[in-house]
Amino acid sequence: MDGRLNKLAQYNLSSRSNVIYLGFYKISAGRAAIVVTKARLGMIISYLLVLRNGGLVKLGGNHGLFLRAMDMPGYGRVIVGQEPVSVVSSGRYFNDYVIGQNNYLIGEFGGDTYIYKLDPDTGKLVKTQKLGFYDGITLYGTAYGDFKGNGKNCLVALSNSGSLMLINGKGKTLYTSSKTYGGSISQVKVPSFGGVRSSTYTGGLIYNVPAQLDGWTHNGIREIVVIKNYRQAAFLKNLNYYVKGGVFDLSWNKIGFYPSWEIKPVVGYVAGFSIFKEGGSVYLSDGVVENPGSPFTKPKSYIAIYKLEK
């Protein structure tokens, strides 16, 4: 932990690939995979990358699923996959080159969701347990666990307005926060005809992918870590453009979620974070894009690392 980053390998994506999710999944002792989900020309494509002979290579083939590596109570660290759904036209179509034109509720592009078992040799994913509580709710911008401390697992999800929603196993919303969080520049285009995907299809509906939200256990209590990015001004509310961003840790306090600590907002926007252990301590790495770049400026980003506990 000397604060330096050394590039071990690089995997190049096509210019038309839009990365939706990157995560890490431990395959075995000393061996991990990068879980990738991207959108390309209206298709959802996911795969796993492993480090081999100094380079990143695919473990197995492509999967037409939204994938995410998650810590699930009772299951441990697992790979969760969600099937894209057939999207019925809402009467609103969007220009592929215009960002931030829509703000839909959670669940607009999430279908049946399962825990998948990974064959570490072939990379094949096999369906196991169905997660019915994800019906109608997108896999991203969510966390699962006993956040109220009453022995009952619930789902916490970001709504389109940035409120935190606490949802029980029957799909009932138990709580909606008054304070808002989130803010993401990631978007995905979903085909709007019968769920059929085509590499030549150019139409479809564009949806905002929720900002990162995750759960972790601190002193035996399940807590939430969530991004909050701040928009530039009210008149730009339909543009996914942010001028500062921070990270909040929230815990349940009888009637709602309240901040336990926060990483103060910095210039730019928070693209994502990761909580990890190193040498017996717990850390949070925070990826910040200070300047996304333009024809007149160079892009600038960095990773800040914070110690959460010894």
Side-chain angles (χ1 to χ4, degrees):
M1 296 296 294
D2 58 4
R4 293 181 296 178
L5 292 175
N6 297 315
K7 185 169 74 173
L8 299 178
Q10 179 173 316
Y11 188 87
N12 295 323
L13 303 177
S14 65
S15 60
R16 295 187 177 184
S17 293
N18 176 24
V19 175
I20 299 171
Y21 172 81
L22 286 176
F24 291 93
Y25 177 75
K26 185 178 180 180
I27 299 175
S28 59
R31 188 175 181 224
I34 300 174
V35 182
V36 181
T37 294
K38 67 179 185 179
R40 184 177 183 273
L41 296 174
M43 296 192 301
I44 302 303
I45 303 170
S46 294
Y47 47 80
L48 278 69
L49 297 175
V50 294
L51 187 64
R52 184 180 297 161
N53 298 325
L56 286 171
V57 297
K58 282 186 181 181
L59 179 63
N62 293 338
H63 310 281
L65 299 165
F66 295 102
L67 291 184
R68 181 181 175 188
M70 297 181 64
D71 293 314
M72 298 287 294
Y75 300 99
R77 187 72 171 174
V78 296
I79 294 177
V80 178
Q82 188 172 64
E83 298 173 2
V85 296
S86 302
V87 179
V88 178
S89 171
S90 64
R92 297 179 65 192
Y93 289 85
F94 302 94
N95 184 333
D96 197 20
Y97 299 99
V98 179
I99 64 172
Q101 289 189 336
N102 59 312
N103 280 286
Y104 286 103
L105 290 170
I106 55 176
E108 290 291 339
F109 59 90
D112 290 342
T113 306
Y114 294 84
I115 292 176
Y116 282 79
K117 182 179 180 180
L118 171 68
D119 185 317
D121 297 318
T122 65
K124 184 178 180 180
L125 294 176
V126 180
K127 282 182 184 179
T128 57
Q129 178 71 34
K130 188 178 189 298
L131 303 178
F133 51 80
Y134 264 114
D135 288 348
I137 297 176
T138 175
L139 185 60
Y140 307 112
T142 61
Y144 183 72
D146 180 15
F147 296 103
K148 295 183 71 174
N150 60 0
K152 298 179 180 180
N153 292 325
C154 291
L155 192 69
V156 177
L158 278 169
S159 72
N160 69 316
S161 62
S163 295
L164 288 173
M165 302 172 66
L166 188 65
I167 304 165
N168 67 12
K170 297 181 180 180
K172 181 181 178 181
T173 300
L174 305 177
Y175 163 83
T176 302
S177 68
S178 57
K179 292 185 178 181
T180 58
Y181 302 91
S184 169
I185 65 165
S186 297
Q187 296 180 316
V188 58
K189 180 166 63 178
V190 182
S192 58
F193 57 99
V196 179
R197 296 186 292 276
S198 167
S199 61
T200 60
Y201 183 64
T202 57
L205 302 174
I206 300 174
Y207 299 103
N208 291 321
V209 178
Q212 187 178 354
L213 182 154
D214 216 338
W216 75 301
T217 302
H218 178 222
N219 292 333
I221 298 173
R222 193 71 174 162
E223 300 182 356
I224 295 169
V225 179
V226 62
I227 290 169
K228 181 167 183 175
N229 287 317
Y230 299 79
R231 297 182 185 275
Q232 183 179 34
F235 65 88
L236 290 176
K237 64 181 181 179
N238 291 323
L239 295 178
N240 293 356
Y241 182 77
Y242 306 96
V243 294
K244 62 179 180 179
V247 178
F248 286 79
D249 178 89
L250 309 170
S251 59
W252 185 261
N253 186 8
K254 295 184 179 180
I255 60 173
F257 287 108
Y258 289 86
S260 299
W261 51 261
E262 67 176 286
I263 297 174
K264 296 294 183 181
V266 294
V267 174
Y269 67 87
V270 178
F273 63 84
S274 178
I275 299 174
F276 63 96
K277 292 183 179 180
E278 177 70 28
S281 297
V282 179
Y283 297 86
L284 182 143
S285 61
D286 182 16
V288 178
V289 179
E290 190 171 293
N291 187 337
S294 73
F296 310 103
T297 60
K298 293 182 178 180
K300 183 180 180 181
S301 61
Y302 61 89
I303 296 175
I305 297 177
Y306 304 86
K307 180 181 284 188
L308 302 184
E309 63 177 25
K310 294 182 179 180

